[in-house]
Amino acid sequence: MKFGIHLFIFGIGFCFSLATFGQTSAPVLTIQRVFDQVKRYHPMSSRAFMQRDFAAADLLKAKGSFDPTAQSTISQKNFDNKNYYSLINGEIKVPTWTGIDLKGGYDINRGVFLGNENSTPDNGLWYAGVSVPLGQGLLIDDRRAQVKTARIGQNLAINQQQDMTNELLFQTANAYWDWFRAYHVRQILNDAVENARLRYEAVRSFALKGDRPGIDTVEAGIQVQNISLSLSQAEMEFVKASNALSGQFWDDNMQNVGYDSNAQPLDITTSTQMAKNNVPNINNNLLPEAHPYLEVLRQKLLQLEVEKNLKRDKLKPKLNLQYNPLSEAFGAGETTNFSINNYKWGMEFKMPLFLRKERGDVKLADLKIRETDMMLREKSNEISIKFENYITEWRATLDQIDIFSNTVELYRQMLDAERRLFNIGESSLFLVNSREQAYINAKIKLTEILAKNNMSYYGIWYFAGRLPEL
């Protein structure tokens, strides 16, 4: 009779020792499928792609400063049946990249009280000419600075997009592998609770018949309670991990839809093999200096240099020279009697005496450059350190996977051996439970190491700035 009792209890434990890590017929959700979903529909991914559109719009706006303009003005005064004056002007202005403005126009002025300086021939007066900056604006001006800044912004936007996508996928990878860990830990403990309950019922049944000491019932009940407490904690962590992963799933209507609640992550065996297959992907081509966030800061430095050059140009005096040849209009737009002696010209000079605003602007530009350069150096060092830390963690956990895979197998062998001793009456339920708890802890530890190894692997790619390539 006792042989039957031991065989029954041993059979329950043996079934548990052969149980896999939550393998079911549920659909498997791989991290690549999650990445594909996130890159297609996540709002942050859409915002990342919008960076190029913003940059293109900024460049279009900046180029608009060089668009030709046409304008006309009419000013007339009539009083007491007299035409005091009628001033009519039409002009086309063409800005150029050199800072020189080309313009041409037509004036026709009439009136009893028209001033001599505004008088024109009966058919009006054509003019054409240039406006040349000889001081401020000769080498750079607001228009050219805006275009240069916007062109740099094209490269900046590309790197912003890569940085945002890189950040999004890193968050997703962490959420996925935390869900992987929580799922398998819950499965391990769920199987263990079922096994402990079956053992408790069997021990209790035989204790009531007098075939087992009553203290074994207490021992079996304690095992159920201990594992149930661990399972309760695992259930809570699984819900939190599931919610975090669900937050990454969106549809094309920008609605958060979550993932299929029936889905399961990769099993332990596949994950272990995948960790080993990742080894060749970590090579010397992964360098933290290529991180897109650092490139964003470098592009901002270039933009600040343009701004500084513009501010320094403001230290120069304004000296603009205008020259406009004149020609009288005849008939249907004909022009005759053109002479270089017919012209009007002008000069504009302006310069603040103390230049305090301009010198302040230059100093602020210098400070911005220094601040951004220090930020670049700081972030570069920070990223390099974290990159090396993830490399170290990845290598360490890769070794630990092999060690703990063997450890789990050794704990299983010890548990089976303890059950065989228990079966022949040379061990106690306390020792069987202790061996079983050690086996459970080893499987949980292996799961956690696998999750940490994969988080480290994706962390390496993240701090190399190349996670979107995976």
Side-chain angles (χ1 to χ4, degrees):
M1 182 68 178
K2 288 185 178 180
F3 175 76
I5 297 170
H6 293 311
L7 185 62
F8 177 71
I9 297 175
F10 172 76
I12 295 172
F14 182 73
C15 290
F16 171 71
S17 67
L18 295 180
T20 59
F21 289 76
Q23 290 179 333
T24 68
S25 58
V28 175
L29 182 61
T30 65
I31 190 168
Q32 195 57 54
R33 287 180 56 194
V34 177
F35 276 178
D36 291 343
Q37 178 80 10
V38 166
K39 285 190 283 189
R40 288 182 63 187
Y41 299 118
H42 198 282
M44 188 171 175
S45 181
S46 300
R47 289 194 296 110
F49 278 96
M50 288 175 64
Q51 300 309 307
R52 296 194 186 194
D53 295 332
F54 280 123
D58 281 339
L59 181 58
L60 180 63
K61 176 183 176 182
K63 287 182 176 179
S65 299
F66 290 91
D67 288 347
T69 57
Q71 66 179 35
S72 63
T73 58
I74 300 176
S75 179
Q76 295 180 330
K77 180 179 179 181
N78 288 277
F79 182 73
D80 195 21
N81 295 322
K82 295 179 182 178
N83 178 14
Y84 272 56
Y85 60 81
S86 174
L87 307 176
I88 300 174
N89 170 260
E91 182 178 273
I92 293 178
K93 186 176 182 180
V94 181
T96 68
W97 182 256
T98 60
I100 298 174
D101 290 341
L102 307 178
K103 60 181 179 179
Y106 176 72
D107 288 331
I108 181 168
N109 303 326
R110 298 284 185 274
V112 176
F113 298 104
L114 189 67
N116 292 333
E117 72 277 7
N118 291 322
S119 297
T120 62
D122 292 340
N123 291 324
L125 198 63
W126 291 100
Y127 65 90
V130 294
S131 176
V132 182
L134 299 178
Q136 188 181 125
L138 177 62
L139 301 178
I140 189 171
D141 55 25
D142 290 329
R143 297 176 304 189
R144 282 176 280 181
Q146 289 173 4
V147 173
K148 287 181 178 180
T149 300
R151 283 176 176 165
I152 296 171
Q154 300 285 294
N155 290 330
L156 191 150
I158 292 172
N159 285 280
Q160 278 185 326
Q161 176 193 336
Q162 292 175 344
D163 184 48
M164 292 176 68
T165 305
N166 196 47
E167 179 71 29
L168 173 61
L169 295 183
F170 185 54
Q171 294 175 3
T172 302
N174 283 333
Y176 177 87
W177 290 110
D178 189 49
W179 173 69
F180 165 91
R181 177 199 60 78
Y183 177 93
H184 285 298
V185 169
R186 186 190 65 162
Q187 290 298 105
I188 292 168
L189 293 172
N190 190 62
D191 292 342
V193 166
E194 290 301 316
N195 179 72
R197 285 174 179 166
L198 288 173
R199 181 185 295 129
Y200 170 77
E201 293 298 330
V203 171
R204 180 173 178 274
S205 175
F206 288 114
L208 290 174
K209 295 177 182 179
D211 294 327
R212 291 296 304 170
I215 195 66
D216 280 1
T217 304
V218 176
E219 184 69 33
I222 290 174
Q223 183 76 345
V224 172
Q225 290 179 355
N226 287 338
I227 300 177
S228 295
L229 284 174
S230 298
L231 177 60
S232 177
Q233 179 68 24
E235 289 282 2
M236 181 186 68
E237 292 184 3
F238 176 71
V239 170
K240 291 168 63 177
S242 296
N243 290 338
L245 184 63
S246 291
Q248 305 299 106
F249 282 77
W250 297 71
D251 61 16
D252 53 358
N253 293 320
M254 289 294 172
Q255 298 294 321
N256 183 236
V257 294
Y259 72 95
D260 183 358
S261 59
N262 294 319
Q264 67 176 21
L266 297 171
D267 58 61
I268 297 298
T269 302
T270 304
S271 300
T272 302
Q273 186 58 48
M274 190 177 76
K276 295 177 180 178
N277 293 340
N278 287 336
V279 174
N281 296 331
I282 304 300
N283 52 57
N284 294 331
N285 293 328
L286 295 176
L287 299 173
E289 292 82 3
H291 197 283
Y293 181 75
L294 300 181
E295 190 59 33
V296 166
L297 291 177
R298 294 185 186 107
Q299 297 298 319
K300 285 184 177 179
L301 275 175
L302 294 177
Q303 290 182 328
L304 289 173
E305 286 291 345
V306 174
E307 180 182 347
K308 178 183 176 181
N309 291 336
L310 178 62
K311 299 300 183 184
R312 291 179 63 182
D313 190 73
K314 300 291 185 182
L315 294 171
K316 301 176 183 177
K318 282 186 178 180
L319 180 59
N320 297 329
L321 182 65
Q322 298 181 10
Y323 176 77
N324 300 301
L326 303 175
S327 178
E328 183 180 356
F330 283 88
E334 297 178 1
T335 60
T336 61
N337 299 325
F338 174 78
S339 172
I340 60 173
N341 295 320
N342 297 327
Y343 63 88
K344 64 178 180 179
W345 76 282
M347 184 182 70
E348 176 189 10
F349 177 83
K350 181 180 179 182
M351 182 177 180
L353 295 180
F354 299 111
L355 294 172
R356 286 181 290 193
K357 176 181 180 301
E358 291 74 13
R359 287 188 285 115
D361 284 340
V362 172
K363 189 172 183 179
L364 286 173
D366 278 329
L367 289 172
K368 288 180 182 179
I369 290 174
R370 288 177 56 194
E371 181 185 37
T372 305
D373 183 64
M374 286 188 287
M375 186 183 301
L376 174 60
R377 294 173 186 271
E378 177 188 354
K379 288 297 181 181
S380 179
N381 184 63
E382 179 183 326
I383 288 173
S384 294
I385 291 173
K386 291 183 178 180
F387 177 81
E388 292 298 331
N389 287 344
Y390 272 112
I391 287 280
T392 302
E393 184 177 77
W394 173 74
R395 287 172 177 164
T397 52
L398 195 62
D399 293 336
Q400 291 171 11
I401 288 172
D402 287 334
I403 294 172
F404 256 89
S405 294
N406 293 330
T407 301
V408 168
E409 177 59 22
L410 292 174
Y411 273 119
R412 186 193 66 79
Q413 292 176 11
M414 291 180 66
L415 176 59
D416 290 346
E418 200 66 51
R419 285 171 179 157
R420 284 194 294 270
L421 291 174
F422 178 79
N423 191 44
I424 61 177
E426 296 184 4
S427 182
S428 65
L429 190 59
F430 171 78
L431 289 176
V432 172
N433 287 344
S434 297
R435 299 296 189 195
E436 184 179 69
Q437 189 63 53
Y439 177 54
I440 292 170
N441 291 340
K443 290 204 294 184
I444 290 175
K445 185 65 175 179
L446 176 59
T447 301
E448 291 173 344
I449 290 173
L450 275 169
K452 183 178 289 187
N453 176 263
N454 279 283
M455 287 182 181
S456 300
Y457 174 74
Y458 287 95
I460 292 169
W461 282 83
Y462 167 71
F463 283 103
R466 295 174 56 183
L467 192 52
E469 297 175 18
L470 288 178

